[in-house]
Amino acid sequence: MTKNILLVGVGGQGTILAAKILTLGLMEAGYDVKMSEIHGMSQRGGAVSSHVRYGAKVYSPVIERGSADVLVSFEQMEALRWLDYMRPDSTAVVNSQSINPVPVLVGKALYSDKILDEICAKVRATVLDATAEALALGNARALNILLVGAAAKIMKLDDIDWNGILAKNVKPAFVEINQKAFARGQELVTA
């Protein structure tokens, strides 16, 4: 059976690196894995999404609406935008950070303070302040790997050498902080 993981965020948050790390881990575990990414206006703070599908044999890299098993969201509005891709029994890992889009910044729209409530009403959600947790470790940019650690714990992907994968795929200066972030993400999940 194919499993579907959707990673969503805003340009600059490390969504694509997170998807790459997750993909490499799943390949190491022996799964057939397909990954697809959509950058959109990512360089201008726009939406970024990556689809990761894995199983015994995967034929397409794209997740259809209503079929994602896990949503990993680096920003709460992006989680809300992608909820229609989730299965009814799916799980979301959501960073509680909010990043105001341009319409909010110019005063043409409001950023709702009820987004997390809406998400939790529709899917099982683990909401983390991944930004603050990563900052407490020494680098707020490690929030992406912290969220991957949380997702890996939820998906019970424990028999993978995540530290080795991180060591091979991030710049040497950032290996230790990312390994700590991954471990912290796992600690924050109680399931």
Side-chain angles (χ1 to χ4, degrees), residues 52-186:
V52 177
R53 303 186 72 225
Y54 72 100
K57 184 66 182 160
V58 179
Y59 296 97
S60 169
V62 179
I63 299 170
E64 295 180 15
R65 288 184 196 277
S67 63
D69 298 291
V70 177
L71 171 70
V72 181
S73 182
F74 295 36
E75 195 273 343
Q76 56 179 289
M77 178 70 76
E78 290 304 314
L80 185 62
R81 272 186 218 180
W82 288 88
L83 277 183
D84 60 338
Y85 277 76
M86 305 303 294
R87 292 166 21 124
D89 60 342
S90 62
T91 302
V93 179
V94 181
N95 183 11
S96 62
Q97 179 182 21
S98 59
I99 298 175
N100 290 329
V102 173
V104 172
L105 292 173
V106 298
K108 301 249 182 206
L110 296 174
Y111 195 108
S112 172
D113 60 354
K114 304 284 187 220
I115 291 173
L116 293 174
D117 294 337
E118 288 182 57
I119 294 165
C120 292
K122 294 181 180 174
V123 297
R124 284 186 312 263
T126 298
V127 178
L128 306 172
D129 190 344
T131 306
E133 291 287 343
L135 186 59
L137 292 171
N139 189 337
R141 292 181 55 107
L143 74 92
N144 61 340
I145 303 303
L146 189 141
L147 290 168
V148 171
K153 174 93 178 263
I154 287 170
M155 295 184 297
K156 299 179 181 8
L157 298 171
D158 302 322
D159 297 334
I160 297 171
D161 181 13
W162 295 108
N163 281 338
I165 291 167
L166 289 166
K168 292 177 191 166
N169 292 283
V170 298
K171 292 179 183 175
F174 300 108
V175 169
E176 184 179 352
I177 187 72
N178 280 289
Q179 289 172 339
K180 287 180 180 177
F182 187 92
R184 183 64 183 139
Q186 296 220 303

